[in-house]
Amino acid sequence: MKKSRLIFRLVDLFYIVMMILPPLAGIVLKILTTPPSEGINVSGAGIYFTIPMPIQDFPVTEAQVVSVIVIISIFFLCLYLTHGLKENVELKRQHLAEIIVEKVDGLVSENMGEYFKGYSPFIIAILALSAFSSLSSLLGLYPPTSDINIVAGWSILVFFLITYYKLKCGPLYYVKGFLEPTPILAPINLIGEFSTPISMAFRHYGNILSGNVISVLLTFSLSALSAKILSFLPSFLSSFPILRVGIQAVLSVYFDVFSGCLQAFIFAILTMLNISGAFPMEDYFARQSIKNQKKKKHVNQ
Amino acid sequence: MELAIAIIMGCCALGAGIAMIAGIGPGIGEGNAVAKACEAIGRQPESKGSVTTTMIMGCAIAETTGLYALIIAILLIFVAPITMVGLLVDTISAL
């Protein structure tokens, strides 16, 4: 009995360590690879190395590395939360896991309807990935959501899902959808089709990036201002940016924590609404019932 | 050569400033949304939670146009000068 308890504890410890290690490794990597710089420095994700490929070289960027770090951390967080699930609840973490699952199930069935009930794992995956990616900037890592390539990947995935549900009633029905209300508007409908993933990606990435840019500009201007104010002191004292203490922390609460979580929530909500809105449910069930009747007739004959 | 580079840098900064005029739209729109939400909460204080959630959602979506302008401004400031000056240098060296 005691031995199994010890093994349980050890597995718990392993999960916690694996949760914390990847961000630490990311911080160490960031410290080792970032060159010291002065002044304003707004650049894209740094490229660690490139893998040669036949058509185009494949660069491994900071954003990709950090998003993999986030994925590993979330994976072990999920394992930790679901470790030792029992019918009569013993551990506190099971309550937390149950709350999360129930909330997401409620959100999905409220926004998407009963037909899409199986989508709650996908939605919580997008929500957690987006939220934790944005929050990784609190650790000093490069937030992957401020790189458009990462967010565009997610929104292209959503675009494929939308097209899949639009094609459920057959390709002819899909083409007919573009010719409504009049065939003249077909090009505008086509643009509207492609603007959905683009606007989703731009909204998420623009919000996080604008927070970063404003923080960098403010940091630079505050250090310049404090140097101006303290110019009567000797040089080694006046070069200390006293105004930079504490002011950005207030902004960080808005830009990193609030904005990051809000954008994750909005991305998830838009995913749900777009997917469920693309599915012509009544027509699909009408077609299905007609097909079933035909099949029955075949069998009877 | 230096004059051309100066013109490119100046016009990029000018263009970024003009692009950010689009910030007016989301400002007015979000202000309207928040004003109406305050009215709604004043009329029905018990529905505060749902009104606030809907308002924040709507504000975030209304922000989109402003963010498009912001992306264009960021591209104009940080990306366009480098590419354009590179293009200019290439053209001149080719001549």
Side-chain angles (χ1 to χ4, degrees), chain A residues 42 199 202-203 205-207 209-210 213 262 266 269, chain B residues 53 56-57 60-61 63-64 67-68 70-71 74 78:
Chain A
V42 178
S199 81
F202 271 16
R203 180 179 299 121
Y205 135 89
N207 262 298
L209 182 72
S210 67
V213 170
L262 184 70
I266 286 166
I269 289 269
Chain B
T53 318
I56 289 177
M57 269 291 299
I61 290 171
E63 239 172 36
T64 312
L67 285 167
Y68 291 162
L70 179 85
I71 287 164
I74 286 175
F78 293 111

Side-chain angles (χ1 to χ4, degrees), chain A residues 38 56 59 101 137 177 212 217 265 269-270 274 278:
Chain A
E38 288 283 317
Q56 199 184 5
V101 170
S137 66
N212 281 3
L217 291 179
F265 184 67
I269 289 269
L270 282 176
N274 281 331

Side-chain angles (χ1 to χ4, degrees), chain B:
Chain B
M1 180 74 185
E2 275 163 10
L3 182 70
I5 289 174
I7 288 173
I8 287 173
M9 300 291 250
C11 287
C12 283
L14 212 63
I18 293 170
M20 280 316 289
I21 293 175
I24 294 172
I28 295 172
E30 282 178 29
N32 269 337
V34 176
K36 295 284 177 195
C38 288
E39 275 176 24
I41 291 172
R43 240 182 284 122
Q44 289 176 303
E46 68 275 5
S47 68
K48 191 185 172 193
S50 61
V51 168
T52 314
T53 318
T54 318
M55 182 199 75
I56 289 177
M57 269 291 299
C59 279
I61 290 171
E63 239 172 36
T64 312
T65 48
L67 285 167
Y68 291 162
L70 179 85
I71 287 164
I72 287 172
I74 286 175
L75 286 180
L76 274 174
I77 291 177
F78 293 111
V79 181
I82 301 167
T83 38
M84 284 198 184
V85 169
L87 213 71
L88 185 78
V89 170
D90 284 354
T91 336
I92 288 176
S93 61
L95 286 174

Side-chain angles (χ1 to χ4, degrees), chain A:
Chain A
M1 190 65 207
K2 223 167 189 186
K3 203 175 176 188
S4 69
R5 187 110 193 119
L6 186 72
I7 291 171
F8 187 82
R9 281 282 163 81
L10 277 178
V11 173
D12 258 11
L13 196 69
F14 171 70
Y15 288 157
I16 293 174
V17 167
M18 284 305 287
M19 227 170 0
I20 297 168
L21 261 187
L24 277 180
I27 293 170
V28 170
L29 197 67
K30 172 101 181 168
I31 291 169
L32 288 181
T33 54
T34 310
S37 66
E38 288 283 317
I40 296 182
N41 182 21
V42 178
S43 57
I47 295 172
Y48 286 133
F49 55 90
T50 51
I51 301 167
M53 287 274 170
I55 300 169
Q56 199 184 5
D57 285 352
F58 177 75
V60 175
T61 62
E62 225 173 333
Q64 285 165 348
V65 173
V66 176
S67 71
V68 170
I69 286 170
V70 170
I71 288 166
I72 295 171
S73 275
I74 292 175
F75 177 67
F76 281 101
L77 177 69
C78 293
L79 282 181
Y80 174 74
L81 283 179
T82 55
H83 190 216
L85 286 187
K86 292 230 173 78
E87 208 163 317
N88 341 337
V89 182
E90 277 182 1
L91 300 162
K92 279 178 193 165
R93 69 183 88 139
Q94 187 172 346
H95 290 295
L96 189 62
E98 281 177 5
I99 287 171
I100 293 171
V101 170
E102 275 171 16
K103 286 270 176 210
V104 174
D105 274 346
L107 197 71
V108 169
S109 61
E110 189 184 311
N111 284 307
M112 293 176 92
E114 286 298 301
Y115 184 82
F116 291 97
K117 232 180 168 183
Y119 261 91
S120 49
F122 176 69
I123 299 298
I124 186 63
I126 277 195
L127 193 67
L129 196 55
S130 168
F132 281 104
S133 297
S134 301
L135 289 177
S136 72
S137 66
L138 290 177
L139 298 173
L141 299 170
Y142 183 89
T145 38
S146 72
D147 186 347
I148 193 165
N149 299 311
I150 303 289
V151 191
W154 304 345
S155 61
I156 288 168
L157 185 65
V158 174
F159 174 70
F160 281 134
L161 281 172
I162 291 170
T163 314
Y164 171 74
Y165 276 104
K166 280 195 174 168
L167 281 170
K168 270 233 161 179
C169 280
L172 268 178
Y173 190 92
Y174 179 67
V175 174
K176 216 183 87 190
F178 285 112
L179 304 179
E180 279 169 359
T182 53
I184 308 158
L185 290 177
I188 293 176
N189 281 332
L190 205 65
I191 293 171
E193 188 75 15
F194 286 107
S195 79
T196 311
I198 292 174
S199 81
M200 272 172 84
F202 271 16
R203 180 179 299 121
H204 198 322
Y205 135 89
N207 262 298
I208 308 295
L209 182 72
S210 67
N212 281 3
V213 170
I214 291 170
S215 302
V216 169
L217 291 179
L218 188 87
T219 308
F220 187 70
S221 61
L222 278 179
S223 61
L225 191 67
S226 63
K228 266 267 153 50
I229 289 173
L230 300 175
S231 58
F232 61 89
L233 289 171
S235 66
F236 68 94
L237 271 178
S238 66
S239 65
F240 181 72
I242 187 85
L243 282 176
R244 263 159 68 169
V245 178
I247 292 181
Q248 289 110 320
V250 181
L251 277 178
S252 170
V253 169
Y254 177 77
F255 284 128
D256 290 334
V257 180
F258 178 73
S259 185
C261 292
L262 184 70
Q263 289 309 314
F265 184 67
I266 286 166
F267 196 88
I269 289 269
L270 282 176
T271 306
M272 286 191 273
L273 293 182
N274 281 331
I275 291 174
S276 63
F279 183 47
M281 197 175 287
E282 288 166 10
D283 295 344
Y284 177 70
F285 284 126
R287 268 171 71 102
Q288 227 43 18
S289 62
I290 290 169
K291 266 187 190 173
N292 283 344
Q293 280 174 4
K294 272 185 186 172
K295 257 187 197 170
K296 269 182 192 169
K297 268 182 192 172
H298 261 299
V299 171
N300 288 342
Q301 279 169 3

